[in-house]
């Protein structure tokens, strides 16, 4: 009876290992297919999907102080570029915030709103931003960005939204 239990356990273990190997191979294929050719090098050093992912992280998204400094500096110095759309600016902001979160740096919602406010063109949004300061206490960054888009649409309707990339209500 003990041999039967051991044989059954061994068979179950072999089946589980075989299934894991299949899932691991599939994950490695997905990683390989989604990474462009010139960045494939680190994937080859990872023997498993987890190993490949960790190698990619070491090379392309390190979690060291230099990366944190660089991301924070970029976020704090972010300004909406002349001629860029509000949508493009919002995406740049979101990428920086998400990159910081990926390395363990979370910024409080009210601070995110203030950083986003500060990145908008003062000549276009300056007065409006002053009126919003009293409302940001319990607001999410998503809600605030929605308000900014509404203001951009309003500015566009009155002919003051040039350079925001807002042509109509559906653009922003």
């Amino acid at each position: 009876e003990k041999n039967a239990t051991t044989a059954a356990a061994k068979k179950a273990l072999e089946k589980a290992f075989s299934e894991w190997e299949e899932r691991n191979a599939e994950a490695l294929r997905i990683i390989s297919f989604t990474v462009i050719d010139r960045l494939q090098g680190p994937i080859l050093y990872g023997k498993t999907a987890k190993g490949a992912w960790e190698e990619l992280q070491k090379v392309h998204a390190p979690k060291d102080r230099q990366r944190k400094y660089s991301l924070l500096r970029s976020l704090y110095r972010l300004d909406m570029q002349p001629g860029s759309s509000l949508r493009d600016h919002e995406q740049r902001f979101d990428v920086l915030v998400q990159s910081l979160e990926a390395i363990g740096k979370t910024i409080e919602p009210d601070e995110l709103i203030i950083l986003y406010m500060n990145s908008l063109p003062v000549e276009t949004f300056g007065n409006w931003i002053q009126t919003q300061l009293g409302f940001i206490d319990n607001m999410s960054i998503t809600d605030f960005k929605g308000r900014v888009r509404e203001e951009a649409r309003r500015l566009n309707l009155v002919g003051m939204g040039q350079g925001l990339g807002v042509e109509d209500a559906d653009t922003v």
Side-chain angles (χ1 to χ4, degrees):
E1 182 177 306
K2 187 176 180 181
N3 286 340
T5 304
T6 306
K10 184 178 178 183
K11 189 171 185 169
L13 189 59
E14 287 173 352
K15 181 181 180 201
F17 183 72
S18 176
E19 289 173 357
W20 178 87
E21 280 185 319
E22 286 178 31
R23 286 193 299 262
N24 182 63
E26 182 178 353
L28 270 171
R29 277 192 302 278
I30 290 169
I31 292 170
S32 294
F33 289 142
T34 56
V35 174
I36 60 175
D37 288 342
R38 65 184 175 83
L39 302 178
Q40 290 279 329
I43 295 171
L44 303 174
Y45 299 116
K47 303 297 182 211
T48 63
K50 183 180 187 300
W53 186 257
E54 288 171 350
E55 289 296 321
L56 281 169
Q57 261 190 321
K58 285 179 199 173
V59 174
H60 301 290
K63 295 182 178 185
D64 60 8
R65 290 188 188 276
Q66 180 61 38
R67 176 150 173 82
K68 182 178 176 181
Y69 168 77
S70 177
L71 290 168
L72 280 169
R73 182 177 181 190
S74 295
L75 182 61
Y76 279 90
R77 291 184 171 185
L78 182 66
D79 285 321
M80 186 171 169
Q81 297 301 311
S84 70
S85 71
L86 193 55
R87 182 184 308 260
D88 290 342
H89 178 66
E90 190 174 311
Q91 285 177 326
R92 275 193 297 280
F93 182 87
D94 289 343
V95 164
L96 289 169
V97 171
Q98 290 165 5
S99 296
L100 282 162
E101 286 178 355
I103 62 170
K105 176 63 177 165
T106 303
I107 301 172
E108 295 296 319
D110 60 330
E111 292 177 39
L112 283 176
I113 292 170
I114 291 168
L115 287 168
Y116 192 70
M117 282 179 173
N118 191 52
S119 70
L120 297 171
V122 174
E123 60 280 356
T124 306
F125 290 100
N127 291 333
W128 178 82
I129 286 173
Q130 292 300 317
T131 66
Q132 298 303 303
L133 289 172
F135 303 107
I136 66 169
D137 284 340
N138 293 312
M139 189 181 297
S140 72
I141 185 66
T142 303
D143 291 336
F144 183 74
K145 286 191 259 182
R147 285 188 176 205
V148 171
R149 286 190 296 273
E150 288 173 15
E151 177 62 7
R153 286 185 194 106
R154 188 194 68 76
L155 288 170
N156 192 48
L157 288 173
V158 297
M160 297 173 59
Q162 299 84 0
L164 295 177
V166 182
E167 301 305 321
D168 58 47
D170 296 328
T171 303
V172 178

